Each structure stands twice: as structure tokens, then as C-alpha cells.
Coordinates of all heavy atoms in Angstrom, one line a residue:
M1 N 29.3 2.1 -3.8 CA 28.5 0.9 -3.8 C 27.1 1.3 -4.3 O 26.5 2.3 -3.7 CB 28.4 0.2 -2.5 CG 27.5 -1.0 -2.5 SD 27.7 -1.8 -0.9 CE 26.0 -2.1 -0.5
L2 N 26.5 0.7 -5.4 CA 25.2 1.0 -5.8 C 24.2 0.1 -5.1 O 24.5 -1.1 -4.8 CB 25.0 0.7 -7.4 CG 26.0 1.6 -8.2 CD1 25.8 1.2 -9.6 CD2 25.5 3.0 -8.0
Q3 N 23.1 0.7 -4.7 CA 22.0 -0.1 -4.1 C 20.6 0.2 -4.9 O 20.4 1.4 -5.2 CB 21.8 0.3 -2.6 CG 22.9 -0.1 -1.8 CD 22.7 0.3 -0.3 OE1 21.5 0.1 0.2 NE2 23.6 0.9 0.4
S4 N 19.8 -0.8 -5.0 CA 18.4 -0.5 -5.5 C 17.5 -0.9 -4.4 O 17.5 -1.9 -3.8 CB 18.3 -1.5 -6.7 OG 19.0 -1.2 -7.8
I5 N 16.6 0.1 -4.3 CA 15.5 -0.1 -3.2 C 14.2 0.2 -3.9 O 14.0 1.2 -4.5 CB 15.7 0.9 -2.1 CG1 17.1 0.5 -1.4 CG2 14.6 0.7 -1.1 CD1 17.5 1.3 -0.2
K6 N 13.2 -0.6 -3.6 CA 11.8 -0.5 -4.2 C 11.2 0.7 -3.4 O 11.4 0.8 -2.2 CB 11.1 -1.8 -4.0 CG 9.9 -1.9 -4.9 CD 9.2 -3.2 -4.7 CE 9.4 -4.1 -5.9 NZ 8.6 -5.3 -5.8
G7 N 10.3 1.4 -4.1 CA 9.5 2.4 -3.5 C 8.3 2.7 -4.4 O 8.1 2.2 -5.4
V8 N 7.5 3.7 -3.8 CA 6.3 4.2 -4.5 C 6.3 5.6 -4.5 O 6.6 6.3 -3.5 CB 5.1 3.6 -3.8 CG1 3.8 4.1 -4.4 CG2 5.0 2.2 -3.7
Y9 N 6.0 6.2 -5.7 CA 5.8 7.7 -5.8 C 4.3 8.0 -5.7 O 3.5 7.4 -6.3 CB 6.3 8.1 -7.2 CG 6.0 9.6 -7.5 CD1 6.9 10.6 -7.0 CD2 4.9 9.9 -8.2 CE1 6.6 11.9 -7.2 CE2 4.7 11.3 -8.5 CZ 5.5 12.2 -8.1 OH 5.2 13.6 -8.2
K10 N 4.1 8.8 -4.7 CA 2.6 9.2 -4.3 C 2.6 10.5 -3.8 O 3.4 10.9 -2.9 CB 2.1 8.2 -3.3 CG 0.6 8.4 -3.1 CD -0.1 7.2 -2.3 CE 0.7 6.9 -1.0 NZ 0.0 5.8 -0.2
N11 N 1.7 11.4 -4.4 CA 1.5 12.7 -4.0 C 2.7 13.6 -3.9 O 3.0 14.3 -2.9 CB 0.8 12.8 -2.5 CG -0.5 12.1 -2.5 OD1 -1.3 12.2 -3.4 ND2 -0.9 11.4 -1.4
G12 N 3.6 13.4 -5.0 CA 4.8 14.2 -5.1 C 6.0 13.8 -4.2 O 7.0 14.5 -4.1
K13 N 5.8 12.6 -3.5 CA 6.9 12.2 -2.7 C 7.2 10.7 -3.0 O 6.4 9.9 -3.5 CB 6.6 12.2 -1.2 CG 6.3 13.6 -0.7 CD 6.0 13.6 0.7 CE 5.8 15.0 1.2 NZ 5.5 15.1 2.6
V14 N 8.5 10.3 -2.8 CA 8.9 9.0 -3.0 C 9.0 8.3 -1.7 O 9.7 8.8 -0.8 CB 10.3 8.8 -3.8 CG1 10.8 7.3 -3.8 CG2 10.2 9.4 -5.1
E15 N 8.2 7.2 -1.5 CA 8.3 6.4 -0.3 C 9.0 5.1 -0.5 O 8.7 4.3 -1.3 CB 6.9 6.1 0.3 CG 6.0 7.4 0.5 CD 4.5 7.1 0.8 OE1 4.2 6.0 0.9 OE2 3.8 8.1 0.9
L16 N 10.2 4.9 0.2 CA 11.0 3.7 0.1 C 10.4 2.6 1.0 O 9.9 2.9 2.0 CB 12.4 4.0 0.5 CG 13.1 5.1 -0.3 CD1 14.5 5.3 0.2 CD2 13.1 4.8 -1.8
T17 N 10.5 1.4 0.5 CA 10.1 0.3 1.2 C 11.1 -0.1 2.4 O 10.7 -0.9 3.3 CB 9.8 -0.9 0.4 OG1 11.1 -1.3 -0.3 CG2 8.8 -0.7 -0.6
E18 N 12.3 0.3 2.2 CA 13.3 0.1 3.3 C 14.3 1.2 3.2 O 14.4 2.0 2.2 CB 14.0 -1.2 3.1 CG 14.8 -1.4 1.7 CD 15.3 -2.7 1.5 OE1 16.5 -2.9 1.9 OE2 14.6 -3.6 0.9
L19 N 15.1 1.4 4.2 CA 16.2 2.3 4.3 C 17.5 1.8 3.6 O 17.8 0.6 3.8 CB 16.5 2.8 5.7 CG 15.3 3.5 6.4 CD1 15.7 3.9 7.9 CD2 15.0 4.8 5.6
P20 N 18.2 2.6 2.9 CA 19.5 2.1 2.3 C 20.5 1.9 3.5 O 20.5 2.6 4.4 CB 19.9 3.3 1.4 CG 19.2 4.5 1.9 CD 17.9 4.0 2.6
R21 N 21.3 0.9 3.2 CA 22.4 0.6 4.1 C 23.6 1.5 4.0 O 24.1 1.7 2.9 CB 22.9 -0.8 4.0 CG 21.8 -1.9 4.5 CD 22.1 -3.3 4.1 NE 21.9 -3.4 2.7 CZ 22.6 -4.2 1.9 NH1 23.6 -4.8 2.3 NH2 22.3 -4.2 0.6
D22 N 24.1 2.0 5.1 CA 25.4 2.7 5.2 C 25.4 4.0 4.2 O 26.4 4.3 3.8 CB 26.6 1.8 4.7 CG 26.8 0.6 5.7 OD1 26.4 0.7 6.8 OD2 27.2 -0.4 5.1
I23 N 24.3 4.6 4.0 CA 24.1 5.8 3.2 C 23.4 6.9 4.1 O 22.2 6.6 4.4 CB 23.5 5.6 1.9 CG1 24.3 4.6 1.0 CG2 23.3 6.9 1.1 CD1 23.7 4.3 -0.3
S24 N 24.0 7.9 4.3 CA 23.3 9.0 5.0 C 22.9 10.1 4.1 O 21.9 10.9 4.3 CB 24.1 9.7 6.1 OG 25.3 10.1 5.6
E25 N 23.6 10.3 3.0 CA 23.3 11.3 1.9 C 23.9 10.8 0.6 O 25.0 10.3 0.6 CB 23.9 12.7 2.3 CG 23.5 13.8 1.4 CD 24.0 15.1 1.9 OE1 24.0 15.4 3.0 OE2 24.4 15.9 1.0
S26 N 23.1 11.1 -0.4 CA 23.6 10.6 -1.7 C 22.7 11.1 -2.9 O 21.6 11.5 -2.7 CB 23.6 9.1 -1.9 OG 23.9 8.6 -3.1
I27 N 23.4 11.3 -4.1 CA 22.6 11.7 -5.3 C 21.8 10.4 -5.7 O 22.4 9.2 -5.7 CB 23.6 12.2 -6.4 CG1 24.3 13.4 -5.9 CG2 22.8 12.4 -7.7 CD1 25.4 14.0 -6.8
V28 N 20.6 10.6 -6.2 CA 19.8 9.4 -6.6 C 19.3 9.6 -8.0 O 19.2 10.7 -8.5 CB 18.6 9.2 -5.7 CG1 19.0 8.8 -4.3 CG2 17.7 10.4 -5.7
I29 N 19.0 8.5 -8.7 CA 18.3 8.5 -10.0 C 17.0 7.7 -9.8 O 17.1 6.6 -9.3 CB 19.2 7.8 -11.0 CG1 20.5 8.6 -11.3 CG2 18.4 7.7 -12.4 CD1 21.5 7.9 -12.2
V30 N 15.9 8.3 -10.1 CA 14.6 7.7 -10.0 C 14.1 7.3 -11.3 O 14.0 8.1 -12.2 CB 13.5 8.6 -9.3 CG1 12.2 8.0 -9.2 CG2 14.1 9.0 -7.9
T31 N 13.8 6.1 -11.5 CA 13.3 5.5 -12.7 C 11.8 5.1 -12.5 O 11.5 4.3 -11.7 CB 14.1 4.3 -13.2 OG1 15.5 4.7 -13.4 CG2 13.5 3.8 -14.6
F32 N 10.9 5.7 -13.2 CA 9.5 5.3 -13.1 C 9.2 4.1 -14.0 O 9.4 4.2 -15.3 CB 8.6 6.5 -13.5 CG 8.7 7.6 -12.5 CD1 9.6 8.6 -12.6 CD2 7.8 7.6 -11.4 CE1 9.7 9.6 -11.7 CE2 7.9 8.6 -10.4 CZ 8.8 9.6 -10.6
L33 N 8.7 3.0 -13.5 CA 8.3 1.8 -14.1 C 6.9 1.9 -14.6 O 6.2 2.8 -14.1 CB 8.4 0.6 -13.3 CG 9.9 0.4 -12.7 CD1 9.8 -0.8 -11.7 CD2 10.8 0.2 -13.7
E34 N 6.6 1.2 -15.7 CA 5.3 1.3 -16.3 C 4.2 0.8 -15.2 O 4.4 -0.3 -14.6 CB 5.1 0.3 -17.4 CG 3.8 0.5 -18.2 CD 3.8 -0.4 -19.5 OE1 4.9 -0.6 -20.1 OE2 2.8 -0.8 -19.9
A35 N 3.2 1.6 -15.0 CA 2.2 1.4 -14.0 C 1.4 0.2 -14.4 O 1.0 0.1 -15.6 CB 1.3 2.6 -13.7
K36 N 1.1 -0.7 -13.5 CA 0.2 -1.8 -13.8 C -1.2 -1.4 -13.7 O -1.5 -0.7 -12.7 CB 0.4 -3.0 -12.8 CG 1.8 -3.7 -13.0 CD 2.0 -4.8 -12.0 CE 3.3 -5.5 -12.1 NZ 3.5 -6.5 -11.1
K37 N -2.0 -1.8 -14.6 CA -3.5 -1.4 -14.5 C -4.1 -2.5 -13.6 O -4.0 -3.6 -13.8 CB -4.1 -1.5 -15.8 CG -3.6 -0.3 -16.7 CD -4.3 -0.4 -18.1 CE -3.7 0.8 -18.9 NZ -4.4 0.9 -20.2
T38 N -4.7 -1.9 -12.4 CA -5.4 -2.9 -11.5 C -6.7 -3.3 -12.1 O -7.4 -2.5 -12.5 CB -5.5 -2.2 -10.1 OG1 -6.3 -1.0 -10.3 CG2 -4.1 -1.8 -9.5
Q39 N -7.0 -4.5 -11.9 CA -8.2 -5.1 -12.4 C -9.1 -5.2 -11.2 O -8.6 -5.8 -10.1 CB -8.0 -6.4 -13.0 CG -7.2 -6.3 -14.4 CD -7.1 -7.7 -15.0 OE1 -7.2 -8.7 -14.4 NE2 -6.8 -7.7 -16.3
Q40 N -10.3 -4.8 -11.3 CA -11.3 -5.1 -10.2 C -11.7 -6.5 -10.2 O -12.0 -7.1 -11.3 CB -12.5 -4.3 -10.5 CG -12.3 -2.7 -10.5 CD -12.1 -2.3 -9.1 OE1 -12.5 -2.8 -8.1 NE2 -11.4 -1.2 -8.9
P41 N -11.6 -7.2 -9.0 CA -12.0 -8.5 -8.9 C -13.5 -8.7 -9.3 O -14.3 -7.8 -9.0 CB -11.7 -9.0 -7.5 CG -11.7 -7.6 -6.8 CD -11.2 -6.6 -7.8
K42 N -13.9 -9.7 -9.9 CA -15.3 -10.0 -10.2 C -16.0 -10.1 -8.9 O -15.6 -10.8 -8.0 CB -15.5 -11.2 -11.0 CG -15.2 -11.1 -12.4 CD -15.5 -12.3 -13.3 CE -15.2 -12.1 -14.7 NZ -15.6 -13.2 -15.5
Q43 N -17.2 -9.5 -8.9 CA -18.0 -9.6 -7.7 C -19.1 -10.6 -8.0 O -19.8 -10.5 -9.0 CB -18.7 -8.3 -7.3 CG -17.6 -7.2 -6.9 CD -18.3 -5.9 -6.5 OE1 -19.4 -5.8 -6.6 NE2 -17.4 -5.0 -6.2
I44 N -19.2 -11.7 -7.2 CA -20.1 -12.7 -7.4 C -21.2 -12.7 -6.4 O -20.9 -12.6 -5.1 CB -19.3 -14.2 -7.4 CG1 -18.2 -14.2 -8.4 CG2 -20.3 -15.3 -7.5 CD1 -17.3 -15.3 -8.3
M45 N -22.5 -12.7 -6.9 CA -23.5 -12.8 -6.0 C -23.8 -14.3 -5.6 O -24.0 -15.0 -6.7 CB -24.8 -12.1 -6.7 CG -26.0 -12.0 -5.8 SD -27.3 -11.1 -6.7 CE -28.6 -11.5 -5.8
Q46 N -24.0 -14.6 -4.5 CA -24.2 -16.0 -4.1 C -25.6 -16.1 -3.4 O -26.1 -15.2 -2.8 CB -23.2 -16.5 -3.2 CG -21.8 -16.6 -3.8 CD -20.8 -17.0 -2.8 OE1 -21.0 -17.1 -1.6 NE2 -19.6 -17.3 -3.3
F47 N -26.2 -17.2 -3.6 CA -27.6 -17.4 -3.1 C -27.6 -17.2 -1.5 O -26.8 -17.8 -0.8 CB -28.0 -18.8 -3.4 CG -29.5 -19.1 -3.0 CD1 -30.5 -18.5 -3.8 CD2 -29.8 -19.7 -1.9 CE1 -31.9 -18.7 -3.4 CE2 -31.1 -19.9 -1.5 CZ -32.2 -19.5 -2.3
G48 N -28.5 -16.3 -1.1 CA -28.6 -16.0 0.3 C -27.6 -15.1 1.0 O -27.7 -14.9 2.2
M49 N -26.8 -14.5 0.2 CA -25.8 -13.7 0.8 C -26.4 -12.3 1.4 O -25.7 -11.7 2.2 CB -24.6 -13.4 -0.1 CG -24.8 -12.6 -1.3 SD -23.5 -12.4 -2.4 CE -22.4 -11.3 -1.5
F50 N -27.5 -11.9 0.8 CA -28.1 -10.7 1.3 C -29.4 -11.0 2.2 O -30.2 -10.1 2.3 CB -28.5 -9.8 0.1 CG -27.3 -9.4 -0.7 CD1 -27.1 -9.8 -1.9 CD2 -26.4 -8.5 -0.1 CE1 -26.0 -9.4 -2.6 CE2 -25.3 -8.1 -0.8 CZ -25.1 -8.6 -2.1
S51 N -29.5 -12.1 2.6 CA -30.7 -12.5 3.4 C -30.7 -11.9 4.8 O -29.7 -11.8 5.5 CB -30.8 -14.0 3.4 OG -29.9 -14.5 4.2
V52 N -31.8 -11.3 5.2 CA -32.1 -11.0 6.6 C -33.3 -11.8 6.9 O -33.2 -12.8 7.7 CB -32.5 -9.4 6.6 CG1 -32.7 -9.1 8.0 CG2 -31.2 -8.7 6.1
N53 N -34.5 -11.5 6.5 CA -35.6 -12.2 6.8 C -36.1 -12.9 5.5 O -37.1 -13.6 5.6 CB -36.8 -11.4 7.4 CG -36.4 -10.7 8.8 OD1 -35.7 -11.4 9.5 ND2 -36.9 -9.6 9.1
Q54 N -35.6 -12.5 4.4 CA -36.0 -12.9 3.1 C -34.9 -13.5 2.3 O -33.8 -12.9 2.2 CB -36.6 -11.7 2.4 CG -37.3 -12.0 1.1 CD -38.0 -10.8 0.5 OE1 -37.8 -9.7 1.0 NE2 -38.7 -11.0 -0.6
Q55 N -35.1 -14.7 1.8 CA -34.0 -15.3 0.9 C -34.1 -14.8 -0.5 O -35.0 -14.2 -0.9 CB -34.3 -16.8 0.9 CG -34.1 -17.5 2.1 CD -32.6 -17.6 2.5 OE1 -31.8 -17.8 1.6 NE2 -32.3 -17.6 3.8
S56 N -32.9 -14.8 -1.1 CA -32.8 -14.4 -2.5 C -33.6 -15.4 -3.4 O -33.7 -16.6 -3.1 CB -31.4 -14.4 -3.0 OG -30.6 -13.6 -2.3
T57 N -34.2 -14.9 -4.5 CA -35.0 -15.7 -5.4 C -34.4 -15.8 -6.7 O -33.4 -15.1 -7.1 CB -36.4 -15.1 -5.5 OG1 -36.3 -13.8 -6.2 CG2 -37.2 -14.9 -4.2
E58 N -34.8 -16.7 -7.5 CA -34.3 -16.8 -8.9 C -34.5 -15.5 -9.6 O -33.6 -15.0 -10.4 CB -35.1 -17.9 -9.7 CG -34.5 -18.2 -11.0 CD -33.2 -18.8 -11.1 OE1 -32.8 -19.4 -10.1 OE2 -32.4 -18.5 -12.0
A59 N -35.6 -14.7 -9.4 CA -35.8 -13.4 -10.0 C -34.7 -12.4 -9.6 O -34.3 -11.6 -10.5 CB -37.2 -12.9 -9.7
D60 N -34.2 -12.5 -8.4 CA -33.1 -11.5 -8.0 C -31.9 -11.8 -8.8 O -31.2 -10.9 -9.2 CB -32.8 -11.8 -6.5 CG -33.9 -11.4 -5.5 OD1 -34.7 -10.5 -5.9 OD2 -34.0 -12.0 -4.4
F61 N -31.5 -13.0 -9.1 CA -30.4 -13.4 -9.9 C -30.5 -12.9 -11.4 O -29.7 -12.5 -11.9 CB -30.1 -14.9 -9.8 CG -29.5 -15.3 -8.5 CD1 -30.3 -15.7 -7.5 CD2 -28.1 -15.2 -8.3 CE1 -29.7 -16.1 -6.3 CE2 -27.5 -15.6 -7.1 CZ -28.3 -16.0 -6.1
Q62 N -31.8 -13.0 -11.9 CA -32.0 -12.6 -13.2 C -31.9 -11.1 -13.4 O -31.3 -10.5 -14.3 CB -33.4 -13.0 -13.7 CG -33.6 -14.6 -13.9 CD -35.0 -15.0 -14.2 OE1 -35.9 -14.3 -14.1 NE2 -35.0 -16.3 -14.6
I63 N -32.4 -10.3 -12.4 CA -32.3 -8.9 -12.3 C -30.8 -8.5 -12.3 O -30.3 -7.6 -13.0 CB -33.0 -8.3 -11.2 CG1 -34.5 -8.4 -11.4 CG2 -32.7 -6.8 -11.0 CD1 -35.3 -8.1 -10.1
A64 N -30.0 -9.3 -11.5 CA -28.6 -8.9 -11.3 C -27.8 -9.2 -12.6 O -26.8 -8.6 -12.9 CB -27.9 -9.7 -10.2
E65 N -28.2 -10.1 -13.4 CA -27.5 -10.5 -14.7 C -27.8 -9.5 -15.8 O -27.2 -9.5 -16.8 CB -27.8 -11.9 -15.1 CG -27.2 -12.9 -14.0 CD -27.6 -14.3 -14.4 OE1 -28.3 -14.6 -15.4 OE2 -27.2 -15.2 -13.7
C66 N -29.0 -8.9 -15.8 CA -29.4 -8.0 -16.9 C -28.4 -6.8 -17.0 O -28.0 -6.1 -16.1 CB -30.8 -7.4 -16.6 SG -32.1 -8.6 -16.7
P67 N -28.0 -6.5 -18.2 CA -27.0 -5.3 -18.4 C -27.7 -4.0 -18.3 O -29.0 -3.9 -18.6 CB -26.6 -5.5 -19.8 CG -27.7 -6.4 -20.5 CD -28.2 -7.3 -19.4
V68 N -27.1 -3.1 -17.8 CA -27.6 -1.7 -17.6 C -27.6 -1.0 -18.9 O -26.7 -1.0 -19.6 CB -26.8 -0.9 -16.5 CG1 -27.4 0.5 -16.4 CG2 -26.8 -1.7 -15.2
V69 N -28.7 -0.4 -19.3 CA -28.9 0.3 -20.5 C -28.7 1.7 -20.4 O -29.0 2.4 -19.5 CB -30.3 0.0 -21.2 CG1 -30.3 0.7 -22.6 CG2 -30.4 -1.6 -21.4

């Protein structure tokens, strides 16, 4: 009986998400799927999110929007 189980290859080892049923030892074939490129979520600065004693100003937002050269 063939079984497919999802897993992750990391640091030279394959980590399975679950144990196979009724198999104590078996030959395996590992197929590496194309890795998805993770996208960083956009970080949004909101008015007042860094306030302690001082509120964010319009100038703070303008500075944050300027591209780094």
C-alpha cells in the first residue's frame, strides 16, 4: 500500500507532519517540490502607534515615506 505524507526538509533531515499507518520500516522516495518564495507582509505605520508622551506628526509620516538613497 502506498502512502503520501507531507513533510519538511530542514538541516539535512526530513520531518514528517504525521506518522505513516501500519509501516515500521520501508524504502522511501523523497520528491522536493518547488519552494514558495515567502513575501514579507507590508508594514504599515499608523498614526499614534509609537506614541509614548509624544504623538506622531505629519512630518514623521513624510520621513517614513521617503526612499532610502
Side-chain angles (χ1 to χ4, degrees):
M1 177 172 135
L2 297 175
Q3 291 184 45
S4 295
I5 297 177
K6 200 180 248 188
V8 176
Y9 174 80
K10 183 168 57 172
N11 298 326
K13 296 183 180 181
V14 175
E15 298 173 7
L16 301 177
T17 56
E18 62 184 270
L19 294 178
R21 288 173 282 146
D22 302 324
I23 297 175
S24 60
E25 186 176 324
S26 177
I27 296 172
V28 298
I29 298 172
V30 178
T31 303
F32 290 91
L33 303 175
E34 186 174 332
K36 293 181 182 179
K37 294 182 180 180
T38 57
Q39 293 180 344
Q40 295 287 336
K42 287 188 174 182
Q43 296 181 0
I44 299 172
M45 184 174 163
Q46 297 176 349
F47 185 79
M49 71 184 285
F50 297 112
S51 65
V52 177
N53 294 332
Q54 185 178 6
Q55 290 288 326
S56 299
T57 65
E58 185 68 30
D60 294 331
F61 285 93
Q62 290 173 351
I63 292 169
E65 292 176 0
C66 292
V68 177
V69 179

